[in-house]
Structure formats: structure tokens, C-alpha cells
């Protein structure tokens, strides 16, 4: 039997967490006076922008959440509006990290602490957000959604996957595994 749509999202969470775990290590590295290599930093931002924001959040905001609303979950308040707002906050954290990293490279001495804080904020944000989805939202979704709904979600997820393509998925997945090995696993 095919995986449940929420199991697909949970697998994606595990991939995101691999990268998120490395954010604290990078923050510590910078606090100790070292720099993040430019290429690693740009891969990190690419992963957060494409895999987390455009790919994973799209499955939630464009497929799962609207279907839950159709099945009677309120569009406002907790959990759906709250989780959608948190996605926007995550995007803002990433934008802030990019902005302050550029300022740091231009020689702004205050930017270093902002980048470090941004990396830590983004990390703790994702850990909490993912915990809430895995433990609260997804069990609720599986109680509410019928088999037909689950099948429809699987089709919509597959459509979103096709839009980005398997080569890009493999590239981002490899990055997540590599970054975890390099920062945590060694
Ligand atoms: Fe989410
Ligand atoms: Fe999620």
C-alpha cells in the first residue's frame, strides 16, 4: 500500500531536520570566529528556499491545508492559520540570515551576531514547527481524511514533485545528508 500523504511529509521533515541540526553547528562555528564557506552557505540557503519553502510548504499550504478546511477544520486560528504564519516567519528568518551575511561580507562588524542569532532562531523554529505538525496536525488529519481524500492528496503531492523534478530532489537530498555527516556525523 502506498504511504499516507502525512508519512511523505514526515519523511520530508526528517530531511529538513538534517539541515536544521547543522544550523546550530554553523552558529557555533561563527561564534568561535570561523566563517562558513560561501559555497556551503549558498547550498544551505538553496535548500531552505527550494526544498523547505517552495516544495514542502507547498504540499501543506496548497494541498493538505485547503483539504482540511474543506473537511471542516477552521481556516483561521490554530492550527492551520498559525502554521501558515509560521511558514512565513521561517521565510523571513532565511531572508534575514542572507541579508546579514551580505552585510558581514561587506565588513559590517555587527552583522556577525545577527547571522548567528538568525541561524539559531531558524533552527529552533523548525524543530518546534515540525514537532507540532508531526504530533498534532498529522494525527488529526488522518482522523478526518477519508481514503478518497488521501488518494487525492497523493496525486497533488506527486504533481508538486513533478514540477520540481527528481534530479533537483536528489541534489537537495544529497546536500542534506552530506551537511549532516560533515557537521554532526563526524
Ligand atoms: Fe509546515
Ligand atoms: Fe511540514
Amino acid at each position: 500500500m502506498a504511504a499516507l500523504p502525512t508519512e511523505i511529509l514526515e519523511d520530508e521533515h526528517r530531511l529538513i531536520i538534517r539541515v536544521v541540526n547543522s544550523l546550530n553547528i554553523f552558529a557555533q562555528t561563527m561564534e568561535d570566529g570561523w566563517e562558513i564557506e560561501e559555497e556551503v552557505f549558498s547550498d544551505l540557503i538553496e535548500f531552505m528556499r527550494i526544498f523547505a519553502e517552495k516544495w514542502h510548504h507547498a504540499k501543506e499550504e496548497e494541498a493538505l491545508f485547503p483539504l482540511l478546511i474543506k473537511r471542516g477544520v477552521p481556516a483561521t486560528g490554530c492550527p492551520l492559520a498559525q502554521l501558515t504564519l509560521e511558514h512565513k516567519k521561517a521565510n523571513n528568518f532565511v531572508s534575514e540570515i542572507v541579508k546579514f551575511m551580505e552585510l558581514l561580507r561587506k565588513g559590517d562588524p555587527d552583522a556577525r551576531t545577527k547571522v548567528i542569532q538568525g541561524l539559531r532562531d531558524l533552527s529552533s523554529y523548525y524543530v518546534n514547527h515540525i514537532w507540532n505538525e508531526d504530533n498534532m496536525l498529522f494525527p488529526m488529519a488522518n482522523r478526518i481524511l477519508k481514503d478518497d481524500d488521501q488518494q487525492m492528496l497523493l496525486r497533488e503531492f506527486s504533481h508538486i514533485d513533478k514540477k520540481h523534478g527528481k534530479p533537483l530532489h536528489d541534489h537537495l537530498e544529497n546536500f542534506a545528508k552530506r551537511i549532516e555527516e560533515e557537521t554532526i556525523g563526524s
Side-chain angles (χ1 to χ4, degrees), residues 9 13 16 56-57 60 87 129-130 133 138:
L9 295 174
H13 283 170
I16 292 168
H56 176 76
H57 291 173
E60 294 173 348
H87 290 168
H129 181 83
I130 284 175
E133 290 183 340
F138 296 168

Side-chain angles (χ1 to χ4, degrees), residues 81-114:
Q82 176 64 27
L83 291 168
T84 305
L85 184 70
E86 288 178 13
H87 290 168
K88 289 195 177 68
K89 278 194 197 158
N91 302 354
N92 289 341
F93 281 137
V94 174
S95 299
E96 290 284 293
I97 291 168
V98 170
K99 181 177 86 183
F100 286 114
M101 187 57 104
E102 277 168 16
L103 288 173
L104 178 64
R105 291 198 176 121
K106 284 180 187 154
D108 181 342
D110 298 330
R112 175 176 287 275
T113 53
K114 298 272 177 46

Side-chain angles (χ1 to χ4, degrees), residues 16 18-27 30 36-53 94 97-98 101 115 119 122 171-172 175-176 178-180 183:
I16 292 168
R18 283 170 184 259
V19 177
V20 162
N21 284 339
S22 73
L23 297 175
N24 282 319
I25 308 282
F26 286 129
M30 289 186 70
I36 307 177
E37 279 174 47
E38 275 192 45
E39 199 187 328
V40 172
F41 181 76
S42 82
D43 285 348
L44 187 68
I45 297 303
E46 179 192 45
F47 180 90
M48 297 317 291
R49 286 264 186 252
I50 296 177
F51 190 76
E53 291 176 24
V94 174
I97 291 168
V98 170
M101 187 57 104
V115 174
L119 291 168
L122 186 62
H171 164 72
L172 294 168
F175 167 74
R178 180 165 54 86
I179 208 70
E180 186 188 46
T183 54

Side-chain angles (χ1 to χ4, degrees), residues 124-137:
S124 59
Y125 151 79
Y126 263 110
V127 169
N128 286 326
H129 181 83
I130 284 175
W131 192 93
N132 284 332
E133 290 183 340
D134 284 350
N135 294 286
M136 319 278 277
L137 181 75

